[in-house]
Each structure stands twice: as C-alpha cells, then as structure tokens.
C-alpha cells in the first residue's frame, strides 16, 4: 500500500472513532402530517410549501413530544 493510501486509511479510521452514535427511529418524536393536503394548500395559494408560515404548516401536522415505543 502506498504512503498516501495508508494516510487516507488512517484518517478514515480516526473519523470512525469520532463519529457520533446513530439516531434510532425510537429516539425520534412521532409526527403525523398530511403532506398531500399541505402541498395542495400551497399550490392553491400559488406559493411553495417552503414559503408558508409555520402557523399554516402546523395546520397540516400533529407534532408530539412523545417518542415512539
């Protein structure tokens, strides 16, 4: 293995040591959202979903602080 490849391999292995633990689905909050309805609403207003206010977006979603079992 060339010196450059050994350096890359070493940096890769070090990056794995510093990588945070994965986030499991059970650690995420439950979210129920009517994406199709949200999209239709934005289209009817002639704007993108991104440009809707948080209040408008929240009309189409139910967000809980509870975590999935």
């Amino acid at each position: 293995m060339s010196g450059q490849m050994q350096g890359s391999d070493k940096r890769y292995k070090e990056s794995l040591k510093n990588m945070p633990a994965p986030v499991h689905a059970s650690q995420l909050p439950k979210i129920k959202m009517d994406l199709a309805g949200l999209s239709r609403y934005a289209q009817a207003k002639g704007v993108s979903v991104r440009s809707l206010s948080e209040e408008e977006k929240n009309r189409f979603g139910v967000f809980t602080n509870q975590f999935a079992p």
Side-chain angles (χ1 to χ4, degrees):
M1 189 181 277
S2 71
Q4 185 179 8
M5 290 297 290
Q6 288 176 346
S8 295
D9 189 48
K10 185 177 180 180
R11 284 192 306 271
Y12 172 71
K13 288 180 180 177
E14 285 298 316
S15 73
L16 292 179
K17 289 179 186 176
N18 297 326
M19 189 177 295
V23 177
H24 298 280
S26 63
Q27 296 171 301
L28 299 173
K30 291 182 183 179
I31 299 174
K32 294 181 182 180
M33 181 168 252
D34 178 11
L35 294 175
L38 179 62
S39 181
R40 283 191 300 269
Y41 175 78
Q43 188 175 20
K45 286 189 72 171
V47 298
S48 68
V49 171
R50 177 178 256 171
S51 65
L52 294 173
S53 70
E54 289 301 314
E55 182 181 318
E56 289 173 305
K57 291 176 192 175
N58 287 340
R59 292 180 196 167
F60 296 89
V62 177
F63 307 92
T64 67
N65 292 328
Q66 299 172 356
F67 292 97

